[in-house]
Amino acid sequence: MNARTGDQVSEETMQAPELRFLCRITARVSPVVSLGAAPFGERRFVPIIGGEVQGGMLSGEVLSGGVDWQIQRSDGVLDISAQYVIRASDGALIEVVSRGYRHGPEEVMARLARGEQVSPDEYYFRTAMSFQTGAPAWAHLNSVLAIGKAVRKPDAAMLDVFLIG
C-alpha cells in the first residue's frame, strides 16, 4: 500500500530499473600514494593523469588532474571516491563524481597490488556515478545516476558506465 494515498503499489513499480550503456572510461593513473594509517584505515590517493572515453552515447577524453581518494579498510574493502573531468568530443566539460568499492579474496587483491593482470570475475569493483556540466547538449546528465562496472589494470581503471533508467 502507498502510505500517502492508500492505493496499491503496482508490480510495475517494483521492476528493476533499465540500464543503458553510456560509455567505457579508461582513466590512466599514477602509482598509489599512501598517507598512512588513519582512524578509518589506510588513507591514500591515486592521481588521474588522463584517459579515453569511448561509446555510442559519450566519447572524449579524461583530463589530467582528477584524483581517486581511497580508504583501505581493515575488513579488506577499498572505499573509493573519485572526481575527475571528461572533455566530450564536442569540447563540452563534464565533471564525474564516482563512489564505490573494490574487494575480493586476499590473494587476488595482493596480485592486483603487485600490478598483475587479474580477471574482473575474481573481484568486485563497482561505482555509483553522478555528473555535472554547464553544456546544454549534456544537461540531461545533471539529473541521472549511473553505475560503473570496473576493472583495475596496472596503470588504469577501466569502467563500463551504464545509465540507470
Side-chain angles (χ1 to χ4, degrees):
M1 296 281 267
N2 183 321
R4 288 187 298 188
T5 65
D7 295 337
Q8 288 281 23
V9 175
S10 72
E11 283 191 32
E12 187 174 5
T13 62
M14 300 303 289
Q15 299 299 313
E18 173 187 332
L19 299 178
R20 291 179 295 135
F21 181 72
L22 176 66
C23 63
R24 171 171 283 176
I25 298 173
T26 303
R28 291 190 316 276
V29 296
S30 291
V32 172
V33 177
S34 177
L35 282 67
F40 300 107
E42 178 194 3
R43 186 69 163 148
R44 51 199 228 175
F45 71 92
V46 181
I48 298 171
I49 58 173
E52 299 78 38
V53 180
Q54 301 170 316
M57 294 177 71
L58 177 61
S59 293
E61 64 178 318
V62 176
L63 299 183
S64 179
V67 177
D68 181 356
W69 285 98
Q70 304 176 345
I71 298 175
Q72 182 63 61
R73 300 181 345 196
S74 62
D75 62 359
V77 174
L78 187 63
D79 189 315
I80 298 165
S81 181
Q83 192 167 3
Y84 52 96
V85 174
I86 291 172
R87 183 189 323 271
S89 56
D90 65 1
L93 298 176
I94 303 166
E95 177 190 21
V96 179
V97 176
S98 180
R99 295 282 326 251
Y101 300 110
R102 189 173 79 205
H103 57 83
E106 192 173 321
E107 66 278 2
V108 171
M109 302 316 288
R111 289 173 35 220
L112 273 178
R114 289 192 299 268
E116 296 178 20
Q117 292 282 4
V118 178
S119 168
D121 297 333
E122 295 185 65
Y123 60 100
Y124 183 91
F125 189 0
R126 305 288 187 277
T127 66
M129 304 170 78
S130 61
F131 310 92
Q132 287 193 53
T133 183
W138 298 100
H140 63 282
L141 293 178
N142 291 331
S143 58
V144 297
L145 295 174
I147 57 170
K149 182 176 182 182
V151 61
R152 182 65 160 93
K153 303 287 188 180
D155 62 350
M158 187 172 64
L159 299 91
D160 282 348
V161 181
F162 299 88
L163 294 176
I164 303 171

